[in-house]
């Protein structure tokens, strides 16, 4: 295993268990590691610090172990066992719910790895070459540790670093036949992990959707950026008067319609439209008294922060202008680089522009199966506000 020596004092973040080493912290590399190799990090006196996956880029190493141990089948099994036991303790694995995130990168001390489970199927994404190289070992460990798993779909063709000199890959590592139906809090969803976005479904909104259900009774609901319709189903079940689902992707709208039919049959309270959010929101004066705004990440990196904040302000300003008095806005940001205060400030500016009385009812975050490693605050990405608008 190749040793990487850090510059003096650069070991301090590792001693506080932060799992990233930036390239500027490196003093010397003994040998020439390939991207994705497991390397040993040592301080400038040669003392062991951690093991991690080597990467080319500003983050040079992502730590997978603070113990000096072999990275073998037992290693992957232990990690997955612990993650599975946590989800069991969270009561996410039972009849009415079989959809959960099993591995959440740094939050499960496995930077670069995401695994979502839908009943008997797991969808795995590698965001680093190190995890890509380990994919078959990880799949074997999943098979061993997660009961009743029949399919493992590996989907890393869009998530691996752009410049990596490897073949991008998507396909089954186990099984290959599944109904593709996931159950979340008793609601059924077709999940298309092969063609859909991310792992096929946004598992991270489960609790926020449940909260919305409580507020939906007799309301006219707009679910903007609906994707496969998540928030719409909960609104329907919660007794909404009408539910309109909007997304710019016509494929997403098709999936939403299918999913509504799967749960509610031919229920004419629901309609779905393939339209652009910014245009649609200009034409809905007093039409809705519950609006959900769950846009894609407006900023994927630091450089895009300013524009992203403006985007959130503009989007929310439209909702404040249009919503019926006494209405509720449920608004989110899933951009990792936008922090909670920045998002709140953007929404505050939007509210002020509308001159309406606005009160914060709830402050929302990601659910417990997307845990935040306390040593890696960057892991907190989902922020939401429930607002009452007079
Ligand atoms: N709320 C969803 C997840 C939203 S993901 C859920 O609970 O599952 C973001 C969605 O925004 C994607 O489906 C994407 O197609 C859609 N989108 C992106 N840009 C858009 C735009 N300008 N107008 C409308 N929808 C847009």
């Amino acid at each position: 295993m190749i040793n990487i020596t850090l510059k003096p004092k650069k070991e301090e973040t590792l001693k506080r268990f932060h799992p990233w080493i930036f390239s500027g912290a490196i003093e010397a590399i003994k040998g020439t590691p390939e991207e994705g190799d497991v390397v040993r990090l040592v301080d400038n006196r040669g003392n062991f610090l951690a093991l991690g996956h080597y990467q080319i880029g500003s983050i040079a190493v992502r730590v997978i172990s603070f113990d000096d141990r072999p990275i073998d089948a037992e290693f992957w099994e232990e990690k997955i066992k612990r993650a599975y036991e946590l989800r069991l303790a969270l009561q996410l694995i039972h009849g009415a719910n079989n959809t959960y995130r099993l591995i959440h990168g740094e939050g499960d001390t496995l930077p670069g790895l995401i695994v979502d489970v839908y009943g008997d199927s797991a969808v795995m994404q590698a965001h680093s070459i190190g995890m890509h190289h380990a994919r078959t070992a990880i799949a074997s460990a999943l098979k061993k540790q997660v009961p009743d798993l029949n399919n493992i779909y590996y989907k890393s063709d869009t998530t691996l670093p752009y410049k990596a000199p490897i073949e991008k890959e998507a396909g089954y590592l186990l099984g290959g036949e599944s109904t593709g139906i996931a159950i979340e809090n008793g609601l059924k969803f077709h999940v298309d992990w092969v063609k859909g976005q991310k792992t096929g479904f946004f598992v991270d909104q489960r609790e926020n959707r449940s909260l919305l259900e409580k507020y939906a009774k007799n309301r006219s609901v707009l679910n903007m950026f609906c994707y496969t319709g998540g928030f719409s189903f909960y609104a329907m079940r919660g007794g909404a008067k009408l539910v309109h689902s909007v997304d710019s992707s016509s494929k997403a709208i098709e999936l939403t319609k299918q999913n509504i039919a799967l749960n509610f049959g031919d229920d004419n309270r629901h309609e779905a439209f393939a339209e652009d959010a910014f245009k649609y929101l200009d034409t809905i004066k007093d039409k809705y008294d519950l609006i959900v705004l769950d846009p894609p990440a407006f900023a994927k990196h630091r450089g895009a922060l300013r524009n992203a904040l403006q985007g959130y302000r503009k989007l929310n300003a439209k909702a404040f202008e249009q919503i019926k008095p006494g209405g509720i806005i449920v608004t989110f940001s899933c951009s990792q680089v936008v922090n909670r205060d920045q998002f709140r400030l953007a929404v505050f500016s939007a509210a002020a522009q509308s001159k309406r009385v606005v009160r914060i009812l709830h402050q929302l975050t990601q659910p417990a199966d997307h845990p935040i490693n306390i040593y890696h605050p960057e892991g907190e990405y989902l922020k939401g506000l429930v607002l009452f608008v007079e």
Side-chain angles (χ1 to χ4, degrees):
M1 205 182 283
I2 285 177
N3 271 6
I4 294 189
T5 309
L6 299 187
K7 290 178 182 160
K9 294 231 165 84
K10 292 293 184 191
E11 72 281 7
E12 276 169 16
T13 57
L14 279 186
K15 293 219 160 131
R16 291 196 300 272
F17 303 107
H18 193 282
W20 297 345
I21 284 298
F22 290 94
S23 54
I26 293 176
E27 179 149 284
I29 302 181
K30 228 186 202 159
T32 10
E34 300 264 337
E35 183 160 27
D37 282 355
V38 177
V39 293
R40 272 176 109 243
L41 292 164
V42 297
D43 68 15
N44 71 322
R45 271 173 267 129
N47 300 310
F48 172 82
L49 295 165
L51 302 176
H53 284 142
Y54 181 69
Q55 287 188 189
I56 295 174
S58 84
I59 302 175
V61 181
R62 293 166 101 178
V63 171
I64 56 170
S65 173
F66 286 98
D67 298 323
D68 200 0
R69 55 156 302 161
I71 304 302
D72 51 11
E74 203 176 293
F75 169 84
W76 296 110
E77 282 168 27
E78 264 174 36
K79 291 267 187 183
I80 287 165
K81 182 164 187 269
R82 271 195 239 163
Y84 184 76
E85 280 170 356
L86 174 60
R87 276 61 180 180
L88 263 183
L90 296 172
Q91 305 201 331
L92 288 174
I93 310 169
H94 52 74
N97 196 81
N98 67 11
T99 299
Y100 60 94
R101 177 154 291 188
L102 174 62
I103 304 286
H104 184 59
E106 282 84 354
D108 285 287
T109 65
L110 289 173
L113 183 65
I114 296 293
V115 180
D116 285 341
V117 176
Y118 306 110
D120 70 346
S121 305
V123 183
M124 179 173 146
Q125 284 192 316
H127 290 256
S128 70
I129 305 299
M131 287 300 176
H132 175 70
H133 288 335
R135 64 198 178 286
T136 42
I138 297 168
S140 309
L142 283 170
K143 174 78 189 124
K144 226 167 164 173
Q145 297 298 331
V146 182
D148 308 322
L149 204 58
N150 293 322
N151 306 291
I152 300 175
Y153 188 72
Y154 179 64
K155 185 179 186 181
S156 294
D157 47 341
T158 54
T159 56
L160 286 173
Y162 174 63
K163 288 188 186 131
I166 51 145
E167 288 278 312
K168 301 287 159 77
E169 201 177 300
Y172 285 93
L173 298 176
L174 175 76
E177 274 181 43
S178 160
T179 56
I181 290 187
I183 305 172
E184 185 185 87
N185 290 329
L187 291 162
K188 290 187 205 138
F189 297 83
H190 287 287
V191 179
D192 185 350
W193 46 78
V194 177
K195 294 200 215 96
Q197 300 178 34
K198 307 268 171 110
T199 66
F201 186 65
F202 288 83
V203 185
D204 56 358
Q205 289 288 23
R206 183 194 318 108
E207 290 175 6
N208 301 329
R209 291 174 184 143
S210 277
L211 181 69
L212 174 106
E213 183 172 354
K214 294 191 196 143
Y215 285 112
K217 198 155 184 70
N218 292 328
R219 287 190 185 264
S220 300
V221 179
L222 170 63
N223 178 13
M224 181 52 77
F225 307 98
C226 66
Y227 188 42
T228 54
F231 283 99
S232 303
F233 306 164
Y234 286 74
M236 298 281 285
R237 194 167 66 178
K241 214 170 2 184
L242 68 86
V243 179
H244 289 169
S245 305
V246 179
D247 197 288
S248 57
S249 148
S250 45
K251 228 162 65 193
I253 291 303
E254 275 319 302
L255 279 167
T256 297
K257 286 184 182 163
Q258 261 185 45
N259 283 331
I260 289 282
L262 188 65
N263 289 279
F264 302 99
D266 189 14
D267 189 327
N268 60 13
R269 288 179 300 154
H270 182 263
E271 282 183 80
F273 309 100
E275 285 196 48
D276 174 72
F278 288 85
K279 281 200 195 132
Y280 189 88
L281 286 169
D282 278 339
T283 61
I284 55 159
K285 187 78 188 157
D286 290 344
K287 191 164 167 188
Y288 302 106
D289 53 7
L290 206 177
I291 297 180
V292 181
L293 299 174
D294 184 23
F298 283 168
K300 297 226 157 67
H301 53 85
R302 291 236 149 259
L305 182 61
R306 254 178 82 99
N307 282 346
L309 291 172
Q310 260 189 35
Y312 289 119
R313 188 179 53 72
K314 277 195 191 148
L315 179 69
N316 284 279
K318 286 186 191 281
F320 285 124
E321 270 163 32
Q322 307 276 341
I323 196 163
K324 239 190 211 166
I328 290 173
I329 296 178
V330 185
T331 182
F332 295 97
S333 161
C334 62
S335 306
Q336 192 160 354
V337 297
V338 173
N339 71 32
R340 192 163 285 282
D341 290 342
Q342 289 164 326
F343 176 59
R344 192 158 149 179
L345 193 61
V347 176
F348 161 88
S349 308
Q353 201 177 317
S354 73
K355 300 195 170 70
R356 297 179 76 165
V357 177
V358 179
R359 278 174 282 175
I360 298 176
L361 305 182
H362 301 272
Q363 307 198 47
L364 308 178
T365 184
Q366 62 216 59
D369 54 339
H370 295 58
I372 302 158
N373 178 342
I374 200 162
Y375 308 114
H376 177 258
E378 298 90 331
E380 181 178 358
Y381 70 98
L382 186 61
K383 301 145 296 271
L385 294 167
V386 180
L387 305 163
F388 187 75
V389 187
E390 283 175 28

